[in-house]
Amino acid sequence: EGEMHVIDKSVARDLAVEQMVTILVVVLVLLLSSMSMSASVKKRAVEPLQRMLLLVESVIHNPLKPLKARPRRASTHEAAQVEHALVKFGSLLQIGFGEAGA
């Protein structure tokens, strides 16, 4: 029926230490992954969105101010493409409306 397992105190201590080390390694890996992911998200999403927001705000405050696009590298990132399109669209609006639209 029921079996009783007797574990020596030193064996139990060794198992506990092994499990604590495993937990610490997992926590360290998760922490490093989280920091890496945070930096990546900031670089690829937050910073481009902040630049686009500043671009839109500058058009709102001074519609005739020439828009400056960042030097464009061959980029496949959607945020960079949207930013470039926003600059083009703003420039076209400036041409279309001119001083009458401002």
Side-chain angles (χ1 to χ4, degrees), residues 6-40:
V6 178
I7 299 177
D8 189 11
K9 209 176 199 180
S10 65
V11 173
R13 187 178 310 125
D14 291 344
L15 284 173
V17 168
E18 183 181 319
Q19 289 175 351
M20 287 186 345
V21 168
T22 302
I23 289 171
L24 288 174
V25 168
V26 168
V27 167
L28 182 65
V29 167
L30 288 174
L31 181 66
L32 293 174
S33 298
S34 172
M35 290 170 54
S36 173
M37 180 80 147
S38 176
S40 178

Side-chain angles (χ1 to χ4, degrees), residues 64-76:
L64 295 179
K65 179 182 175 185
L67 300 176
K68 296 178 185 171
R70 289 182 49 213
R72 188 166 183 201
R73 302 181 308 256
S75 176
T76 58

Side-chain angles (χ1 to χ4, degrees), residues 40-73:
S40 178
V41 166
K42 182 178 179 188
K43 179 183 176 189
R44 296 182 187 272
V46 174
E47 289 175 359
L49 289 173
Q50 286 177 334
R51 284 193 306 267
M52 286 184 253
L53 180 63
L54 290 174
L55 181 68
V56 170
E57 286 177 344
S58 86
V59 170
I60 289 171
H61 294 299
N62 187 359
L64 295 179
K65 179 182 175 185
L67 300 176
K68 296 178 185 171
R70 289 182 49 213
R72 188 166 183 201
R73 302 181 308 256

